Structure formats: C-alpha cells, structure tokens
Amino acid sequence: MQSAAVVGTGLIGTSIALALRGRGVTTYLIDANPEAARIAADLGAGIAGTPRGPVDLAVIAVPPRHVAAALKEHQLLELAHDFTDAASIKELPQREAAQAGCDLTRFIGGHPMGGREQSGPLAARDDLFHGRPWVLTPSAHTRAQTAERAWHLAELCGARPVVMAHAEHDRAVALTSHAPHLVSSLLAGRLLHGDPAQLGLAGQGLQDITRLAAGSAELWTDILGSNAVAVADVLAGFTQDLHQVVDALQGLGAAEEPEQQRVHTDRLATALVRGVRGRARIPARNPAPTLSVAYTAAPRGV
C-alpha cells in the first residue's frame, strides 16, 4: 500500500493517518469540516484535500449512521480502489451500504479497538492502536484484494487483525465497550446529586470508573442507538444483577436475625466474587506486532 485517504479527521481517523504517515504511506485527509482536516495536516497526519487519482485504500472514519452515505459518495468520486471503515458498529453500516447501492466487492468493514475519552484531531496519537485488535468483517461480496489491503492497514497501524462476522462483532462490543460506557455515564450522572463536600472526597477509583463518561455525548448517542438491541441485552442482565445487590443491601439494613444477615451477606459477597472472576478474564494487552519488511498478505478471502 503506497497511498491512502482518510475520510473523517476526528480522533480515530487522524490516529490512523498519523500511523500511516509514520510508515511512509502518502495519506490524504478529507473532512466535512475543512478546519479539522487542516489541523490534522498540521499535526503531520497527511495532506489536507483529495488526491488527483484513486489511492490504494480509503478509510471511512465517520460515525456509524454516516458510513453508508460517505462510502457511496466517495466510491462515486473514485477516491480509492478499495474501501474500509472504522465505525464501532458493523451490521447497520453494512446493511445501509447495500441498500444505498455501494460496491460491496470493494468494501470491508473494519473496527480498530482503540480510543480515548477525548475527541477531535488534537487528541490523536500514532500509537493508539498498538497491540490492539482490529476487527475486519468481510461480507460474501468482499474481494480478496480489499481484504488484504485492510489487513495490511491494521498491521501498519501496529494492530492485530481479527476476522469476525458482523453480528458477532456487534454483540462483542456491546459487552466489552458500549454497555460499560453507558454504565460509566449513568454512575457519573449520579454525581450531579452530590454536594461539593462529598465530591471533595473522590479518589482515583471514581476517576477510573467514570473516565468513559467524558466521551462525546453526540457520538455515543449514535453508537449506542446503532447497536441498541445488543446493548439492551447486556444491560438487561446487568439490571437483574443490580436488583439482587440492592435487595441484599436493603436486607442487611433491615435484618435483625443473624441468619437473615448471613443470607444477605452471602448474596453480596457472591456478586463481588463474580466481579473478581469476570475481571480476571480480560486478556492482557499484547505488544504491537512486528511488521516484516516484506509484507505477507492475509489469506485470500480473509
């Protein structure tokens, strides 16, 4: 891959562009807001504006509900030979791209699993995806060249390519990203009811658990709404667990008999033990893979 274009110069798009420029790929920056593209260019992420001819690969780095329209527009403009995206939802953009009449042979869904609570090009980092999974979701229409270029893109950015089905991806991120963000936001929202004296006691633990809540409300409304069913399924189970803990705590506050206190204490302890066991299942973050000088293409039809 010698050339690329990034459509959407927010945190993710600019981070991708910075990584590509660091690997010597000529990269063009396109954004509906020219100022955002200019800022990304000033950071060294590439050239603000469209190329004179098709680049090898274009990355559509816009919110989920805008992917299909942006893909259609830039395929008609012949921006690139192949296209991928970076949205955190995969089923909805794929379905809307099909409905819009996009050329699905030259498109493969993609999702780099890295981010920050800040947004915009100034928050971008060239190592944002180092050692992180980069999900690719080929359809039955995706040609081998498109899949290979997207695989190469992930490796150039220091990520680990992972192939998943669209629905499988959306269920996975509902559990590991989308529901946690919403839980963090809801907990942070409770702080609006605290007085300054109470909030003055906040420590690092509260900072950690509410960090995600600082993300863009506009972007996350789009993300959560685009994956609504999968997120609701995760939160339904979470709500059941929460009700059990609330019942146990209320029971401890009202129980007078030792046996009643023991039952409620056991229920509370069970919830905490499940949390310890669940957190232990999170894989350790892997270091960035080393990209060989002679690139070995992904298997055909990856």
Side-chain angles (χ1 to χ4, degrees), residues 119-301:
S119 59
L122 290 175
R125 291 170 34 180
D126 63 357
D127 63 348
L128 188 63
F129 312 112
H130 279 202
R132 303 299 301 161
W134 188 304
V135 181
L136 299 175
T137 55
S139 71
H141 308 285
T142 306
R143 64 179 182 172
Q145 175 183 291
T146 304
E148 290 164 2
R149 278 182 167 154
W151 186 283
H152 193 191
L153 167 71
E155 291 192 327
L156 285 171
C157 292
R160 296 182 289 107
V162 178
V163 177
M164 300 179 77
H166 297 86
E168 180 188 11
H169 165 274
D170 289 358
R171 289 191 298 269
V173 293
L175 175 65
T176 61
S177 175
H178 300 168
H181 187 101
L182 191 51
V183 170
S184 177
S185 295
L186 293 173
L187 181 59
R190 298 308 304 168
L191 300 178
L192 296 173
H193 301 275
D195 61 46
Q198 292 174 320
L199 297 178
L201 301 180
Q204 189 60 47
L206 185 62
Q207 292 280 357
D208 291 343
I209 201 169
T210 59
R211 177 182 61 83
L212 297 176
S216 166
E218 180 181 5
L219 173 61
W220 277 95
T221 298
D222 188 325
I223 291 172
L224 293 167
S226 299
N227 201 23
V229 174
V231 175
D233 287 345
V234 175
L235 291 179
F238 178 80
T239 301
Q240 292 178 353
D241 295 340
L242 188 60
H243 279 313
Q244 291 179 4
V245 170
V246 170
D247 289 344
L249 291 170
Q250 290 176 336
L252 280 171
E256 297 181 357
E257 299 296 327
E259 181 61 24
Q260 292 177 323
Q261 290 183 347
R262 185 186 66 78
V263 170
H264 294 309
T265 299
D266 286 348
R267 292 172 64 189
L268 180 60
T270 296
L272 294 172
V273 169
R274 283 173 54 82
V276 172
R277 292 171 57 194
R279 190 179 190 283
R281 298 192 66 198
I282 301 174
R285 182 166 177 171
N286 294 326
T290 301
L291 181 63
S292 61
V293 175
Y295 169 65
T296 301
R300 292 179 65 83

Side-chain angles (χ1 to χ4, degrees), residues 3-5 51 53-59 74-84 106 143 145 149:
S3 59
V55 295
D56 294 328
L57 181 69
V59 183
H74 292 289
Q75 282 191 335
L76 290 174
L77 292 173
E78 298 184 352
L79 175 64
H81 297 296
D82 295 293
F83 293 81
T84 187
R106 298 189 295 130
R143 64 179 182 172
Q145 175 183 291
R149 278 182 167 154

Side-chain angles (χ1 to χ4, degrees), residues 9-12 116-124 214-217 219-220:
T9 52
L11 166 66
I12 300 300
R116 305 178 69 187
E117 63 273 19
Q118 297 97 337
S119 59
L122 290 175
S216 166
L219 173 61
W220 277 95

